[in-house]
Amino acid sequence: MGGHRQVHHRVVVLGALWLALVSLAGCASRVWNRPLAAVPGTDVYDFRHRMPQSGGDTFVVLAFSGGGTRAAAFSYGVLEKLRDTPVTVDGKPRSLLSQVNVITSVSGGSYTAAYYGLFGDRIFSDFAPHFLYRDWQRDLALLPMRPDHLLSILASGYNRSDLVAAYLDQTLFGHKTFADMSRNGLPFIIINASDLNNAITFSFIQPQFDFLCSDLSSYPVANAVMASAAVPPAFAPIALRNFKDCPERHKPWVADALAHDDVLDRRYVVAQALERYFDARRMPVLRLLDGGVTDNLGVRGSMMSPVAQDGDVPDMAGAFTPRQLQRVRHVLVIVANAQVNDEYAWSRQGKDPGMIAMTRASFNAALGLLNTETVSLAKQGFLMWEKHVNATRPQGAPQVKVDFAVLTFNQIKDPVQRSRFNTMPTTFRLQPAQVDALRALAGQLLEQSPEFQSFRSVLAHDPEERAPH
């Protein structure tokens, strides 16, 4: 009997301690976006105010795909390669990384893009030990086990994605907001999620937030990255408020696109989805999930979206001033696609897939097809833009040339090595050797890319780039 009383006493004491901890910690609350307010023009997070204008006539775009730590490490390797690639611009030696204007990203690639957009070259000393080599999978699994975290999740209006975003905000992104992003000549970073309400890409740029009558500059970068990487069903959506009406919401191109009623026109499709934001009473809250659901490469649905370009995609009007548009001559687009193409165990064994395995295979099939189509359409879009700009320039004026490089594991010639990379999991835990192999592979594939070689060769032999202006 005495032993039972002691056990009961210990349970009561532990229960009391747990309740005391919970009461002291309290419940965490969701971080919401704020309504749009009058802000100085220099604080607007869009192409015109935050995109750096690299010297010379170059324009460089990087697109980082999803794929957990695999994608983060692969895209990090691209940054390392560009850092170590010398070019001469306006007669001065520089790294090619310093000439990058835009980085657009999805899911795992958003961790790398956001970190570089906030901290610049610090990424080369901090990011690998703090993220790539760290077992984030374990950290994220342990987060809900703390009593205060568990209580917060059980409360209404807070979910596991909110919890992870708060953890990322504290441990990786240093409580930075979009007011801190893309400063001091760093590339314009476009983090992309998927709008579950309307089945379109949602980019964390002010022109997108205008449709919510909301201010992006005060929003935590960690929450945007979490939205970009919130893979269902493992993570719940990140929520954004849709505020009451404002003048910024009513873009002329939306009304124009809707008036033409062309269901095959991309502007019409996007405008139709954006029109649903107009009545906040019918859509008070947006739910954002992994950007890979709508565009796992983050290139066509973001930078080339009519939202980012204010409806004028062929001119890319949002990305350039008229003078810059006339001056640019050498365009390089690098798509770092960390998609894998692994065999399934149930397929090799001739078995029926279970529910989870079938869902995963279906998602991967749709994603693979979407990636292929997205790359093709994005390349066509940039080549159409090249043709459009050249047609508007005076006869005899320098022409624009676009080099569009795509890096994929399928470009690995050795079948054993190709299989090695295609079997790397989509998780946030890789072995250090796997991370290092991905970093090295990105540099190797980029060096072998004909488009990358063409771009470097043109710069090396262009007197406009070699000599000061």
Side-chain angles (χ1 to χ4, degrees):
M1 291 292 293
H4 287 294
R5 283 196 295 271
Q6 288 179 353
V7 171
H8 177 72
H9 177 70
R10 288 175 183 171
V11 170
V12 170
V13 170
L14 289 174
L17 289 173
W18 188 88
L19 289 173
L21 177 60
V22 168
S23 63
L24 287 173
C27 290
S29 59
R30 171 171 289 160
V31 176
W32 288 101
N33 53 311
R34 298 176 184 175
L36 192 62
V39 294
T42 55
D43 283 341
V44 176
Y45 194 78
D46 61 10
F47 280 112
R48 289 290 175 88
H49 297 91
R50 294 293 180 87
M51 190 184 75
Q53 303 304 322
S54 56
D57 308 323
T58 63
F59 187 78
V60 181
V61 179
L62 309 180
F64 294 160
S65 80
T69 299
R70 183 185 67 247
F74 192 56
S75 56
Y76 179 72
V78 170
L79 295 183
E80 289 182 303
K81 175 62 177 178
L82 297 182
R83 176 200 62 188
D84 298 336
T85 300
V87 293
T88 301
V89 178
D90 287 344
K92 298 178 181 179
R94 302 177 183 178
S95 75
L96 185 50
L97 181 58
S98 70
Q99 303 303 295
V100 175
N101 302 82
V102 180
I103 302 178
T104 176
S105 65
V106 170
S107 198
S110 291
Y111 287 87
T112 308
Y115 201 92
Y116 183 63
L118 288 172
F119 304 113
D121 286 349
R122 206 176 99 186
I123 193 173
F124 299 117
S125 59
D126 296 354
F127 191 64
H130 292 170
F131 184 79
L132 296 179
Y133 296 142
R134 185 170 170 176
D135 188 351
W136 279 89
Q137 197 85 357
R138 177 199 60 200
D139 291 354
L140 299 183
L142 292 175
L143 275 180
M145 296 185 182
R146 280 180 44 176
D148 53 335
H149 290 172
L150 179 61
L151 187 65
S152 297
I153 293 175
L154 293 176
S156 61
Y158 196 83
N159 59 41
R160 188 162 180 253
S161 291
D162 295 315
L163 176 62
V164 174
Y167 185 68
L168 291 171
D169 188 49
Q170 179 181 3
T171 60
L172 190 66
F173 294 114
H175 305 292
K176 300 290 187 180
T177 69
F178 278 88
D180 306 301
M181 183 76 86
S182 301
R183 298 287 192 183
N184 302 317
L186 290 171
F188 183 58
I189 306 298
I190 308 177
I191 297 172
N192 300 286
S194 296
D195 175 359
L196 192 60
N197 300 55
N198 299 297
I200 59 172
T201 296
F202 186 96
S203 302
F204 283 85
I205 54 177
Q206 186 56 51
Q208 185 89 57
F209 267 58
D210 282 347
F211 287 99
L212 305 180
C213 293
S214 180
D215 171 39
L216 176 60
S217 63
S218 60
Y219 195 69
V221 172
N223 285 61
V225 173
M226 186 62 238
S228 181
V231 181
F235 293 101
I238 287 287
L240 292 177
R241 281 200 174 110
N242 187 19
F243 295 99
K244 64 181 182 179
D245 204 19
C246 63
E248 289 81 1
R249 170 177 280 156
H250 300 281
K251 311 286 186 181
W253 73 265
V254 174
D256 179 69
L258 293 174
H260 284 81
D261 195 27
D262 184 354
V263 296
L264 298 181
D265 179 44
R266 186 162 174 245
R267 290 202 323 156
Y268 174 79
V269 174
V270 174
Q272 191 177 43
L274 294 174
E275 188 185 29
R276 296 173 185 159
Y277 295 176
F278 289 6
D279 189 350
R281 295 170 299 179
R282 297 184 61 184
M283 192 182 295
V285 178
L286 259 68
R287 310 288 175 177
L288 304 181
L289 282 173
D290 188 288
V293 173
T294 52
D295 178 1
N296 194 48
L297 300 178
V299 58
R300 189 168 182 267
S302 60
M303 182 181 174
M304 301 191 71
S305 164
V307 175
Q309 301 298 335
D310 200 23
D312 200 352
V313 177
D315 283 325
M316 291 196 192
F320 298 96
T321 65
R323 180 178 179 275
Q324 292 157 356
L325 187 62
Q326 289 302 317
R327 188 182 181 195
V328 66
R329 298 172 59 201
H330 311 302
V331 178
L332 174 65
V333 182
I334 300 174
V335 179
N337 182 7
Q339 178 188 0
V340 294
N341 185 26
D342 191 18
E343 292 182 287
Y344 301 110
W346 53 265
S347 178
R348 291 193 301 268
Q349 298 164 4
K351 296 180 179 180
D352 288 333
M355 182 64 71
I356 295 177
M358 183 174 61
T359 302
R360 178 191 170 201
S362 300
F363 182 79
N364 287 345
L367 191 63
L369 179 61
L370 180 63
N371 281 353
T372 301
E373 294 296 326
T374 297
V375 169
S376 177
L377 290 171
K379 184 174 182 178
Q380 290 179 28
F382 272 97
L383 293 178
M384 286 176 58
W385 173 80
E386 171 191 276
K387 184 177 180 179
H388 173 77
V389 172
N390 287 336
T392 62
R393 290 188 172 178
Q395 186 175 5
Q399 299 286 283
V400 173
K401 182 178 185 297
V402 175
D403 289 297
F404 195 98
V406 182
L407 312 181
T408 73
F409 296 166
N410 289 333
Q411 294 166 339
I412 303 173
K413 296 180 181 179
D414 186 335
V416 175
Q417 287 296 319
R418 186 167 61 247
S419 175
R420 174 192 174 194
F421 285 98
N422 273 322
T423 55
M424 289 187 181
T426 305
T427 66
F428 285 101
R429 176 182 59 195
L430 291 178
Q431 297 300 316
Q434 291 176 307
V435 171
D436 291 341
L438 286 160
R439 292 166 58 183
L441 176 66
Q444 293 164 8
L445 293 180
L446 193 53
E447 183 66 33
Q448 296 167 9
S449 165
E451 295 81 5
F452 185 64
Q453 293 176 3
S454 170
F455 179 82
R456 291 173 61 185
S457 176
V458 168
L459 286 188
H461 295 90
D462 188 346
E464 292 282 336
E465 294 296 343
R466 292 200 305 268
H469 291 275

